[in-house]
Amino acid sequence: MPPSAPGMRIGLFGGSFNPMHQGHLLVMEETLRRLELHALWVLVTPGNPLKDNSSLPSLEARVLAARAMITDPRIRVTGFEAERGFAYSWQTVDFLTRTMPDRRFVWIMGADSLANFHRWQRWRDMAAKVPMAVYVRPGAGRRALASRAAATLDHAQLDETDTALLARCHAPAWIYLQGRQSPLSSTAIRAAQGTN
């Protein structure tokens, strides 16, 4: 697990990262700056439970490829979820908030993930444990903001002008971040490479 200290504001950005690309880096840069985070942990997952993982490259290969793209020392790439036997994001959030209650964690996801968040196992538990930052993705904004999760958590949505306060908020709290966008997607990159 990456090093940290009490009081730190830490972003948690999970995914398969198959492969990591400039769009991911853009989200990391924007959320680090706008949420005023001390660190951002890239959680390379063993595999997405909602997807077919049969052709997924090894965790080690994806972690190493992601690390090769990162230049900001505040961003750390880790595959610790697999070491702990975690298959679901709620397990990660539960573990981190229990074992490090003196850190301020924020879950970071793209708008496409919010659109399907209600399909994640124990998603309500996740939302109740950590604030969430949802970053705009091309073509996903409408679906995300009209999603079941967005409707359920409507009472906890902050205005975008309060972005810098999110990491200091008690959950449930979430914010929808507009900003620079990248048309890149891992799916499109794999298709172009013929590895989908």
Side-chain angles (χ1 to χ4, degrees):
M1 204 154 20
S4 64
M8 284 182 68
R9 297 183 297 276
I10 302 169
L12 303 172
F13 188 36
S16 301
F17 300 105
N18 179 29
M20 179 173 281
H21 54 71
Q22 291 299 321
H24 294 130
L25 296 178
L26 184 151
V27 172
M28 290 180 227
E29 291 166 7
E30 287 290 303
T31 53
L32 265 167
R33 180 179 59 81
R34 293 170 65 185
L35 298 173
E36 298 182 1
L37 301 174
H38 296 112
L40 189 147
W41 296 355
V42 177
L43 308 174
V44 182
T45 64
N48 185 332
L50 299 175
K51 295 181 180 176
D52 175 12
N53 297 304
S54 59
S55 60
L56 191 65
S58 73
L59 177 67
E60 181 183 14
R62 288 179 289 125
V63 166
L64 292 174
R67 285 180 179 159
M69 289 190 72
I70 304 293
T71 57
D72 190 322
R74 297 171 298 170
I75 302 173
R76 297 296 182 100
V77 180
T78 177
F80 90 90
E81 290 173 303
E83 294 169 17
R84 296 268 172 189
F86 299 159
Y88 298 99
S89 297
W90 72 264
Q91 294 171 305
T92 303
V93 167
D94 181 65
F95 170 77
L96 292 174
T97 54
R98 269 189 304 103
T99 59
M100 291 185 266
D102 51 4
R103 274 69 159 176
R104 306 297 307 198
F105 292 107
V106 177
W107 188 264
I108 298 166
M109 69 170 91
D112 53 330
S113 292
L114 180 64
N116 296 307
F117 191 44
H118 65 279
R119 296 179 59 210
W120 293 25
Q121 190 176 84
R122 294 181 61 173
W123 63 276
R124 285 183 177 90
D125 290 344
M126 278 185 66
K129 287 185 184 289
V130 291
M132 301 185 307
V134 179
Y135 198 86
V136 64
R137 285 284 307 271
R142 237 184 229 138
R143 284 186 307 115
L145 294 173
S147 68
R148 181 173 156 194
T152 301
L153 299 169
D154 181 61
H155 68 284
Q157 185 177 6
L158 302 179
D159 188 83
E160 195 172 1
T161 57
D162 293 326
T163 300
L165 302 176
L166 183 67
R168 299 167 179 88
C169 289
H170 292 287
W174 68 285
I175 202 156
Y176 188 80
L177 295 175
Q178 301 281 354
R180 294 185 299 144
Q181 296 180 55
S182 168
L184 294 174
S185 78
S186 296
T187 303
I189 291 170
R190 291 194 308 274
Q193 295 172 341
T195 57
N196 220 0

